[in-house]
Amino acid sequence: MSQTPETASANAYAAAGVDIHAGDRAVDLMKVWIEKSRRPEVLGGVGGFAGLFDASALKAYERPLLATSTDGVGTKVAIAQAMDKHDTIGFDLVGMVVDDLVVCGAEPLFMTDYIATGKVVPERVAAIVKGIAEACVEAGCALVGGETAEHPGLLAADEYDVAGAATGVVEADGLLGSDRVEAGDVVLAMEASGLHSNGYSLVRHVLLNSGAYTLDQQVSELGHTLGEELLTPTRVYAKACLELARGTKTHAMSHVTGGGLAANLERVMPAELSARIDRTTWTPSPIFDLVRRTGSIDLPDLEMTLNCGVGMVALIAPDDVDEAVRILAGYDIRAWAAGEVTDAPGGKVELTGAYAGW
């Protein structure tokens, strides 16, 4: 049977390690999940060269500002690969990207993803995209497209990495930021679901290498296996924070990612003010103490690397704290007053006291 030039080319590419047909199969499997994240403004379907989003809705804005963010999930993908569980890493990706948008008050509109792998396994790629799409639904944004690339020789067959980018919009006079922060504002902490997607190089080194734990090991203080704990999906705060911005006098927000609570909050602090946070107002979940004790890590180092139980913070007017806590509780997010903005100059954030039980 003779081959067409296209078949011969595909076979040659497959011999070099790239399976075009596997990529096509992956697209077919992921379509159903992408469709679930669809918003009315999305035009067309999966498979085009670019995702299309009808921007005519922006005409309703007086002065629409577009916001954009991009990120990945770091070495947490190594845990997903080791456990052969790939349908939660998408929540980490979406959380890392869209929750950077909402801190300025922007509603995430649409997102694209990029998956690079040593070998396209359609079912695995579809599982990754399933998680991304489900998280987009939770964030209220559409997954309008993406790219899956097979890189044999660069990545092993079972290795992959994921990244994404999102675009959002905020009315100019609703833009949150340091210029709105006032002395006396309350630092409202929002509980993290766990480690989220930061510091995994440290966590893996401490627990899996130096600490000699295994991913399938039951850890009594965690209440399940270490692997289950490390794969706990990143909490997606987007919808809750947008309602918080609409329903309270929220002046600024900070997404607590790499660098920890203090460093990230300082990014939205005006130079003429500072903030003080009281550690005694919460106890980080057991995974943070496990990392600290196993690695004999000093608290400043731990807090510069991990979120220590706080995934997002808002700076709000004192008389709106109760309403803010109520709004967030409606999204199953525990929140509490953890500190306040002071009139001390410098734009610094100081953590005081000790975590209960530490």
Side-chain angles (χ1 to χ4, degrees):
M1 180 178 177
S2 62
Q3 292 182 328
T4 65
E6 292 81 4
T7 303
S9 177
N11 288 345
Y13 211 2
V18 177
D19 189 342
I20 295 174
H21 300 303
D24 293 339
R25 171 66 175 156
V27 171
D28 288 338
L29 290 175
M30 68 177 72
K31 282 181 178 179
V32 63
W33 302 111
I34 295 174
E35 184 63 27
K36 290 180 183 296
S37 74
R38 189 180 185 92
R39 287 176 51 132
E41 302 94 337
V42 176
L43 303 178
V46 181
F49 285 97
L52 299 175
F53 190 91
D54 185 353
S56 60
L58 300 186
K59 294 178 181 178
Y61 288 76
E62 290 293 326
R63 186 187 169 201
L65 303 179
L66 293 180
T68 185
S69 177
T70 186
D71 210 338
V73 301
T75 61
K76 189 169 184 175
V77 294
I79 306 297
Q81 291 159 21
M83 296 183 64
D84 195 23
K85 180 172 174 54
H86 313 286
D87 60 351
T88 62
I89 204 74
F91 278 82
D92 301 292
L93 178 62
V94 174
M96 294 297 289
V97 174
V98 302
D99 287 337
D100 275 359
L101 293 179
V102 299
V103 298
C104 69
E107 176 191 0
L109 300 175
F110 57 85
M111 181 168 178
T112 57
D113 63 52
Y114 179 81
I115 303 170
T117 182
K119 178 178 175 59
V120 171
V121 178
E123 294 75 14
R124 183 174 63 199
V125 172
I128 296 169
V129 174
K130 171 180 180 286
I132 297 172
E134 289 179 333
C136 280
V137 171
E138 192 165 311
C141 70
L143 181 60
V144 296
E147 175 74 10
T148 301
E150 197 168 38
H151 292 163
L154 180 63
L155 295 167
D158 60 348
E159 291 180 337
Y160 63 83
D161 198 10
V162 295
T167 297
V169 62
V170 58
E171 188 70 75
D173 63 9
L175 185 67
L176 305 180
S178 59
D179 60 313
R180 295 193 170 200
V181 178
E182 300 175 357
D185 280 351
V186 170
V187 179
L188 188 77
M190 302 177 215
E191 188 173 45
S193 58
L195 293 166
H196 285 185
S197 189
N198 297 106
Y200 271 74
S201 294
L202 172 67
V203 171
R204 289 166 54 239
H205 173 71
V206 168
L207 298 182
L208 300 178
N209 297 333
S210 302
Y213 282 89
T214 61
L215 292 174
D216 60 358
Q217 182 175 341
Q218 288 284 339
V219 182
S220 59
E221 55 261 56
L222 301 179
H224 43 234
T225 68
L226 178 62
E228 289 173 316
E229 178 68 33
L230 298 188
L231 270 194
T232 301
T234 297
R235 173 164 278 152
V236 178
Y237 297 92
K239 285 185 178 179
C241 284
L242 288 175
E243 184 173 343
L244 187 69
R246 289 190 295 263
T248 69
K249 293 184 286 294
T250 296
H251 298 146
M253 287 188 280
S254 177
H255 187 200
V256 184
T257 56
L261 176 54
N264 280 286
L265 185 52
E266 285 177 355
R267 295 167 67 178
V268 296
M269 289 297 301
E272 66 274 14
L273 301 174
S274 292
R276 184 181 300 110
I277 295 175
D278 183 359
R279 296 187 186 97
T280 67
T281 60
W282 81 99
T283 300
S285 60
I287 184 61
F288 297 100
D289 197 30
L290 182 67
V291 173
R292 179 182 69 93
R293 289 185 288 103
T294 304
S296 299
I297 301 173
D298 292 337
L299 187 57
D301 285 343
L302 193 76
E303 291 179 330
M304 283 192 299
T305 308
L306 306 179
N307 67 56
C308 290
V310 178
M312 183 79 79
V313 293
L315 303 181
I316 68 172
D319 57 355
D320 270 355
V321 170
D322 290 343
E323 176 63 9
V325 170
R326 187 197 66 78
I327 288 172
L328 294 168
Y331 290 88
D332 293 324
I333 298 173
R334 189 174 77 87
W336 65 95
E340 65 175 349
V341 175
T342 71
D343 57 8
K348 297 298 183 182
V349 175
E350 178 188 14
L351 275 72
T352 64
Y355 300 121
W358 285 29

